[in-house]
Amino acid sequence: QQQVKQSPQSLIVQKGGISIINCAYENTAFDYFPWYQQFPGKGPALLIAIRPDVSEKKEGRFTISFNKSAKQFSLHIMDSQPGDSATYFCAASIFGNEKLTFGTGTRLTIIP
Amino acid sequence: EAGVTQFPSHSVIEKGQTVTLRCDPISGHDNLYWYRRVMGKEIKFLLHFVKESKQDESGMPNNRFLAERTGGTYSTLKVQPAELEDSGVYFCASLPRGGDNEQFFGPGTRLTVL
């Protein structure tokens, strides 16, 4: 049973466009929702994270939107650049238990 | 500051053989995690050390997997005997005590069992 479902599996966006990746979770005890970015040959690196007390968090071109009632959260990348091409993972955890439950990943390709 | 390192980066072994993966966390990080990603699937939690103690090993697939963290520094994950379904990328991550939940991941070890 997959507790965090992520879509799409792959995404191609033109340079300058908006990239949107969606995740849905089942466990209502989750209270920490990070997004990780992974480049080939590297490990995942934290990109941005949100807690359920806010509905949106923005850091530069990256925004997390969070809908607690729908148990969904999404990553928006504005003005997407070729350097954003990577695999993105959403994840969730419970405060005090830092074990991360990941989605299946989205391979994002930004084309010129 | 050096990041999390893992060795080897790749390992190709035959079914039935033994393989040992090593992880060196960021110095001073008490928390160490092992995760695994089977091709195309999610990254799955295997276990969590706090210093040398196993805090949570609920994700370990079976007793062919043995993890240790002697002295609370580096950790090893041994697979004995390896099976085909053990193939995947094994990640290690570390987190300081009282950290703000940001786990720092190593580059992973790609294990292929033939």
Side-chain angles (χ1 to χ4, degrees):
Chain A
Q1 183 187 9
Q2 194 177 329
Q3 291 199 55
V4 178
K5 295 184 179 178
Q6 182 172 348
S7 63
Q9 188 174 357
S10 63
L11 180 62
I12 299 174
V13 175
Q14 281 213 309
K15 178 183 174 183
I18 302 173
S19 303
I20 302 174
I21 304 171
N22 300 298
C23 283
Y25 63 96
E26 296 176 6
N27 187 347
T28 55
F30 286 145
D31 59 0
Y32 175 70
F33 303 90
W35 284 89
Y36 278 80
Q37 180 188 54
Q38 184 187 18
F39 293 106
K42 305 288 186 181
L46 180 66
L47 182 64
I48 186 172
I50 196 168
R51 292 199 180 270
D53 51 343
V54 296
S55 60
E56 186 176 280
K57 183 174 181 180
K58 184 175 181 180
E59 290 184 359
R61 296 184 295 108
F62 301 91
T63 300
I64 299 179
S65 296
F66 183 80
N67 186 331
K68 188 173 181 178
S69 60
K71 294 188 288 185
Q72 294 175 346
F73 58 111
S74 60
L75 175 69
H76 296 235
I77 306 175
M78 311 299 287
D79 186 26
S80 299
Q81 298 296 312
D84 297 330
S85 297
T87 299
Y88 292 80
F89 293 94
C90 62
S93 69
I94 299 170
F95 179 77
N97 177 355
E98 305 94 359
K99 167 175 74 175
L100 292 168
T101 300
F102 284 91
T104 50
T106 296
R107 179 173 289 187
L108 174 64
T109 304
I110 308 300
I111 56 176
Chain B
E1 178 183 83
V4 177
T5 58
Q6 293 187 245
F7 183 83
S9 56
H10 293 85
S11 181
V12 181
I13 62 172
E14 301 218 337
K15 175 182 172 181
Q17 289 187 320
T18 297
V19 63
T20 300
L21 314 180
R22 173 170 170 146
C23 167
D24 286 76
I26 293 172
S27 178
H29 282 197
D30 287 347
N31 295 282
L32 186 150
Y33 304 82
W34 283 99
Y35 294 87
R36 175 175 74 175
R37 188 184 192 205
V38 173
M39 184 182 294
K41 297 196 174 182
E42 72 269 31
I43 300 172
K44 275 195 173 180
F45 167 82
L46 296 178
L47 87 159
H48 171 203
F49 282 100
V50 177
K51 295 187 178 180
E52 66 276 7
S53 300
K54 291 176 185 174
Q55 183 79 7
D56 181 355
E57 51 184 327
S58 61
M60 294 288 263
N62 50 60
N63 59 10
R64 295 186 294 103
F65 289 74
L66 175 64
E68 295 180 323
R69 192 182 182 195
T70 306
T73 54
Y74 71 91
S75 174
T76 58
L77 180 65
K78 180 190 287 188
V79 185
Q80 179 182 30
E83 297 289 344
L84 300 179
E85 64 264 26
D86 300 333
S87 295
V89 181
Y90 290 76
F91 292 105
C92 173
S94 71
L95 175 74
R97 180 173 49 181
D100 61 357
N101 276 39
E102 179 180 358
Q103 295 184 22
F104 294 86
F105 281 76
T109 293
R110 181 174 296 277
L111 173 65
T112 302
V113 183
L114 303 176

